[in-house]
Amino acid sequence: MRDDQLPDMPVPEPESDPQRDMVVEAFKAADPDGKRAGAVFRATYDQLYDGQHTGRFRWDQLFKTEKTHYGTLLEINLRREFDDVIDDTAEGRPLDYLICGHDVDCKFSQSFGGWMLPPECFGHLLLVAWANDQRGTWSLGVVRASDANRRVSVNRDGKTQLSAKGREQIAWLQLEADLPPNVLLGLPPTTLAQVLAPRSGQARVTELLRRVTEKRIGRNTIATLAQQDDYMARLRDNGNGARTTLRQEGYLIPGGDYEAHRSVARRLGVVVPEPGEVVSFKVVPSEEHAPWSVELDGRHWRLARDEDEIVLPAPKLPDVRKPKKQGASGTGMLTESAPIESEV
C-alpha cells in the first residue's frame, strides 16, 4: 500500500487482545487527545530537516539515508516523551520498549501498512507509526505480530509484513490525526518565493510575518528562515527585529510563551499562539469597549479587516520584562531590570 493509500472508513473493530488493549489504554491515559504524540512526529521531522543549518523544510529535500533514519529518531523521541508510559528498564530486552510489563517493538513506515517485521518481533506487540508531512497527518496504533496477523511470505532476511487481516487488528491511538503545521510547506508557491527571496535571515523572517497572518508560527520555522544561532532575536522589538519593523505597518506579533501576549490574541478573536509560537496580524483603532477589542498604549484596538486602511503604527505589546534582585549594596527588594526582550 502506498503512502497515499489509507484505509477505507469505517475502520473495523479489532479482535480482543488484553495485553494490546492494556498498552493502548496506557497511552490514551497519558495522551488522550494525541497532542504529545503529534508533537513528537513534528519534532522528528524538524530534527531531520535541521532547518536552522540547512534551510530545508520538505521531505523531498532529504537524502535517502536521512529518510530511513526517521524511524530510529521517532523511536528514540517517543521513548523520551512517554517516559511515564515506557519503562526505562527495557535496556537489554529483545525489543524497543517495555510497556505495562510487555515487550513492544516500534515500527515506522513511509508507506501506510508497509511496516517490516523481523523474526524477533513475531508474536509480540508492535507500536506501528506512519506520517506524511505533505498531507499534515500521522497515525499511531498497537497490533500483535501473531501468525494470523502476518503474511506467510518472508524476504531473504526473514522479514515480513502485516497481512490485510493484521492491519484490521490495529488498535489505533490516533488515525490520520493532524500534524502540528509545517508553515513553509503549506504556503502557496508565490508566497513562499516572496518569503525566501531576501538574502538576509532577518528580512526573510520579517517577510514571513508580513505575509502569513493569523496562523501559528513555531520556533523551527523562524530558525529555518533565519539560519542563525540567535534566530529568535529576529522577532524582537528592539529597533532591528520584525516586531519593530512591522509595528510601523500596523502588525502585532504576540508570542505564546507569555499569558499577557496570549490574552491579547484571545481578546481580539485571533488564533492563540502556543508556547514557542507567534502569530502575526494587523490591528486598527476601535471604539472604546467595542466587541473583540483590547486596550493597549492607552487606546482600544481591533483586528484589521481587508478594507481597513492602516494609518497608525500598532501599539506595543504588554511588557513581559522580568524583575531581578538588586546587588549586595541594595535593599534586596525586587526592582525592574534593564529591558529583557521576550523571545516569543
Side-chain angles (χ1 to χ4, degrees), residues 2 40 63 67 79 95 106 136 183 198 200 227 229 251 260 288 290 293 321 325 339:
R2 301 194 313 272
V40 172
F63 294 109
K67 293 177 180 179
R79 179 195 297 275
L95 303 181
C106 183
V183 174
S200 77
Q227 294 188 50
D229 289 339
Y251 290 85
E288 187 174 355
S293 67
R321 295 178 299 176
K325 291 183 179 180

Side-chain angles (χ1 to χ4, degrees), residues 119-285:
E120 58 266 26
C121 78
F122 291 177
H124 292 286
L125 294 173
L126 308 173
L127 182 68
V128 292
W130 170 87
N132 186 307
D133 204 12
Q134 186 69 46
R135 283 178 173 269
T137 58
W138 61 277
S139 299
L140 191 67
V142 184
V143 66
R144 186 175 296 281
S146 63
D147 291 346
N149 290 342
R150 300 192 315 268
R151 289 181 177 178
V152 176
S153 59
V154 297
N155 64 15
R156 288 179 297 178
D157 297 325
K159 294 182 179 180
T160 187
Q161 295 178 309
L162 291 174
S163 62
K165 177 187 177 182
R167 292 194 294 271
E168 292 180 351
Q169 299 309 307
I170 300 172
W172 293 106
L173 303 171
Q174 298 287 335
L175 180 61
E176 290 193 80
D178 291 335
L179 269 173
N182 181 336
V183 174
L184 296 177
L185 191 60
L187 294 181
T190 301
T191 303
L192 179 62
Q194 292 167 330
V195 169
L196 297 179
R199 294 179 60 87
S200 77
Q202 178 64 74
R204 289 191 294 269
V205 171
T206 300
E207 194 65 21
L208 173 76
L209 296 169
R210 177 182 286 121
R211 297 188 178 277
V212 181
T213 57
E214 299 181 51
K215 293 183 182 293
R216 291 160 45 200
I217 298 172
R219 289 176 181 269
N220 188 73
T221 300
I222 303 300
T224 300
L225 294 176
Q227 294 188 50
Q228 297 169 340
D229 289 339
D230 59 344
Y231 55 89
M232 293 307 288
R234 304 310 104 201
L235 296 173
R236 291 177 177 171
D237 195 353
N238 60 357
N240 300 312
R243 283 191 174 109
T244 300
T245 300
L246 294 178
R247 191 156 48 79
Q248 302 307 309
E249 301 175 25
Y251 290 85
L252 275 182
I253 309 173
D257 283 347
Y258 301 98
E259 176 55 33
H261 285 199
R262 291 194 297 271
S263 178
V264 169
R266 198 177 295 118
R267 291 179 181 220
L268 292 171
V270 182
V271 59
V272 179
E274 297 289 333
E277 298 176 340
V278 297
V279 173
S280 176
F281 50 85
K282 285 185 177 181
V283 294
V284 293

